[in-house]
Structure formats: C-alpha cells, structure tokens
Amino acid sequence: MSFTIYSTISLFAIIYCTVRPKILNTLELTMIFLVVMYLDSNVMDLVMLNLDRIVLGKTSSDRFTFYLSFIVLYPLIIACSLDHLRKVKAGFAKVLLILLAVFSIVGLENGLKYLQVLTYKNWNWSLDLLQWLCIYMITFFLHYLFRKLVLKELDH
C-alpha cells in the first residue's frame, strides 16, 4: 500500500518536473540531486544506524518505499524548488517557497511514519524539519557557489 502511494506521488513529481520549463540547466539539476542524496543518505545513516532513532520497516515494500522517497522524491522536490527560486523575485515569496518545499518533505516523511514504513524512537517532526531545513540551506549555498564558479569560468 505504501509503495503504491509513494510511487504514484513520485511519478506525478517526475512528470511535473520533466514537463515544466526549467531555468536551471541539466548540470545544475544533477548537482542538486546528487548533493541532496548525499546529504540525506549520510544523515539517515547517522540517525538510523548510529543513533538508532528511526527504525525502517522489515518488509521489502517498506524498504522500496523508503528508498524511492529519499532517492527520487525528496531530491526532486528540492531541485524543483531551487529552480522555482530562480523565477521568483520577491524575498518573502522565496522564503515561502523554501518553507513550502521543506514542509512538504516533512509531511511526506510523516506519511511514511503514518503508513508504518518508519518508526520514530526519540525522533519527531521538529527534528525532521530541522534536518531538511539544514539540507535545503546547504544545497542552496552549494548551488550558489557552483553557479558562481561556472559563471566565473565562462567569463574567462
């Protein structure tokens, strides 16, 4: 059940992000995707394996759902959000867009908890919010530096 729900959500997100016009080029989107996957996998390894604060379900459906969401869905949400940020000029709208992306990821993770794909032990949604806000800000900053480096190289 959980795999069906999250694969459908992921499919809609993939279609939406593929069809809509993008400002960021493919290299930037790939870099964002890889940074988010790297940061999220390291944080989840630390939280799940070392701190034992989140327990993953035992069925293969639970594992596929979890990996689908953190390998495809969450990086896709952040990449599309960063692409939308390039279009938005108002500072308040940018903050709102960042918070919308972070809260949607936290909501999807709480959906995993509700569907019993994950079990929280000494972990809660506020720690999820802090985790994803940090991942988003690090990705935003690295994308900014990457873009600055590319533009500097193009000027030479």
Side-chain angles (χ1 to χ4, degrees):
M1 176 76 171
S2 61
F3 182 70
T4 305
I5 293 170
Y6 276 80
S7 63
T8 304
I9 293 170
S10 296
L11 182 65
F12 285 141
I14 290 169
I15 291 170
Y16 171 74
C17 290
T18 303
V19 171
R20 71 176 197 73
K22 290 171 265 327
I23 292 177
L24 300 178
N25 63 37
T26 307
L27 183 62
E28 288 176 303
L29 291 171
T30 304
M31 188 270 313
I32 291 168
F33 226 83
L34 291 174
V35 165
V36 172
M37 281 194 308
Y38 176 77
L39 291 173
D40 185 33
S41 66
N42 284 325
V43 168
M44 291 310 278
D45 283 346
L46 179 70
V47 169
M48 292 173 95
L49 299 176
N50 295 350
L51 299 176
D52 197 32
R53 294 200 173 196
I54 297 176
V55 178
L56 185 58
K58 300 295 180 201
T59 66
S60 59
S61 174
D62 291 343
R63 294 182 185 275
F64 282 132
T65 303
F66 174 73
Y67 289 120
L68 175 72
S69 60
F70 100 82
I71 290 175
V72 176
L73 189 58
Y74 303 153
L76 198 60
I77 290 171
I78 291 179
C80 285
S81 172
L82 286 173
D83 189 48
H84 280 302
L85 280 179
R86 302 284 304 155
K87 294 179 184 176
V88 176
K89 300 295 181 204
F92 177 72
K94 286 184 179 189
V95 170
L96 192 63
L97 192 59
I98 290 169
L99 290 176
L100 179 68
V102 170
F103 276 110
S104 66
I105 292 172
V106 171
L108 288 167
E109 278 202 1
N110 279 319
L112 290 176
K113 184 180 129 188
Y114 177 75
L115 293 170
Q116 298 174 348
V117 172
L118 300 173
T119 305
Y120 287 0
K121 295 184 335 186
N122 297 325
W123 194 260
N124 54 29
W125 71 269
S126 60
L127 292 172
D128 268 343
L129 182 68
L130 181 66
Q131 167 198 340
W132 282 106
L133 194 58
C134 289
I135 289 173
Y136 193 99
M137 298 314 322
I138 291 169
T139 306
F140 179 80
F141 182 68
L142 289 176
H143 174 253
Y144 171 76
L145 292 176
F146 179 76
R147 191 166 185 81
K148 190 175 174 181
L149 179 69
V150 169
L151 291 175
K152 180 182 168 187
E153 290 297 321
L154 288 175
D155 287 340
H156 291 290

